Amino acid sequence: MGTTMIRGMLWAVAAALLATAPARAQSPLADAHIHYSHDAWEMLPPAEAIKVLRQAGLKKAFVSSSSDQGTQMLHAQAPDLIVPVLRPYRRRGETGTWFRDASVGDMVADLLAKNTYAGIGEFHLFGKDAELPVPRRIVQLAAKYGIFLHAHSDADAVERIFAQNPEARVLWAHSGFEPPEAVAVMLRKYKHLWSDLAFRSEHASDGKVDPAWRKVFMEFPDRFMLGTDTYVPERWYYVVEQAAWSRRWLADLPREVGENIAYRNAEALANWALKTDASACASGQTMAKDGYRLSYRFEPAAIQVGQPFAMQIAVCAPDDQPFTGEVRVGAAMPAHGHGMNYKPTVQQTAEGRFHAQGLMLHMRGHWQFNFELLTETGIVRLGADHRQK
Ligand SMILES: [Zn+2]
């Protein structure tokens, strides 16, 4: 019997157990360290993977995958839940070679231009390898797009990243596997350093937080996040269990601190990276009316007749105020007097960011995309011509 088959059976058993568990209100969590890499896709198809993340009561999951296709598949299923992070690996086994591989830098640059990401990582980088041209390029790309770096690194490599760009935002995977005192030294030194607790367990046992870790959590309540690290497909079995375990020890902290680590810190970092700003509203197809600016891009980039597609939308309110309203999208063929055959759904993914799904142009010819911005004072309507070949 193949390993995949055994995995599949194990999964079926786990899923059956989960299905019988009573649904109850769970306190929200964010998991900052999820991978959905190629060898998990068959065992756990995208819809099933999303079910697991929802079952764990996650409101946000930072997902990075080898290859990035895994992240895109999950994001397409649940844009409200998945925070896409761009892993610089095409397949398993590139953790020790990517930083000397110029094609990785090109791939990352291409994907950043095409899709929206909150960060680049998780990548593995140690010591003075951080000075090599490819990692340097990654640090620059993160700065260009205003997104964070998720670094599985020793303290030395983290310091070298900050030396290249003191304004970088770094999420330190596994808190560097350092003891709490050493993590505190780094957090004290770098105010844009966050630390995930993925694949660590010594900070709590039996629902009690370890005293040395408690001290660090209390000193830096805004800097820690949870993580499961599904680095091999089997780790997906632990996502729900890990969430339950985390809820127990988080309850041992003052409420505010516990909630910060549970989800607020991750949400704040994702919002910082994904927020709309002048550059988000100026990339892709853009339009403006009454001081509102909207930009959109298609997923996939070139849409085909009769094929469903999605749309990434960024909205900026007048005078660079955040846009807090809702967005509706439609498309019509003015010459034919008809619209699309399907009604798209729009979900908010971050402040001023939206993801529209279920769009399809069933004919070639002249279409018009219609956007409605539901603001506090009324509806702002914007239209864009599109010629479908
Ligand atoms: Zn990882």
Side-chain angles (χ1 to χ4, degrees), residues 271-327:
N271 276 336
W272 167 80
L274 295 172
K275 71 187 178 304
T276 52
D277 52 19
S279 74
C281 289
S283 68
Q285 304 282 337
T286 63
M287 60 194 92
K289 192 178 176 187
D290 301 343
Y292 288 89
R293 283 167 303 143
L294 181 148
S295 80
Y296 66 92
R297 52 186 178 189
F298 302 126
E299 293 176 344
I303 59 182
Q304 310 283 333
V305 173
Q307 297 293 320
F309 64 97
M311 210 185 245
Q312 297 263 8
I313 302 163
V315 183
C316 294
D319 305 320
D320 288 324
Q321 293 300 303
F323 177 72
T324 52
E326 287 174 43
V327 172

Side-chain angles (χ1 to χ4, degrees), residues 10-90:
L10 282 171
W11 183 255
V13 171
L17 288 173
L18 289 179
T20 58
R24 60 198 145 79
Q26 305 183 100
S27 58
L29 298 180
D31 193 312
H33 201 134
I34 294 284
H35 306 294
Y36 186 58
S37 294
H38 57 85
D39 41 11
W41 302 347
E42 197 185 317
M43 171 193 107
L44 195 62
E48 297 298 312
I50 294 297
K51 259 188 224 164
V52 172
L53 302 177
R54 301 250 191 239
Q55 182 90 35
L58 302 183
K59 61 186 302 197
K60 292 286 175 195
F62 291 16
V63 178
S64 63
S65 314
S66 319
S67 71
D68 183 59
Q69 199 193 329
T71 300
Q72 298 307 323
M73 288 192 292
L74 292 193
H75 185 254
Q77 293 268 337
D80 60 313
L81 168 66
I82 304 300
V83 175
V85 179
L86 175 51
R87 196 160 222 218
Y89 308 152
R90 287 151 293 204

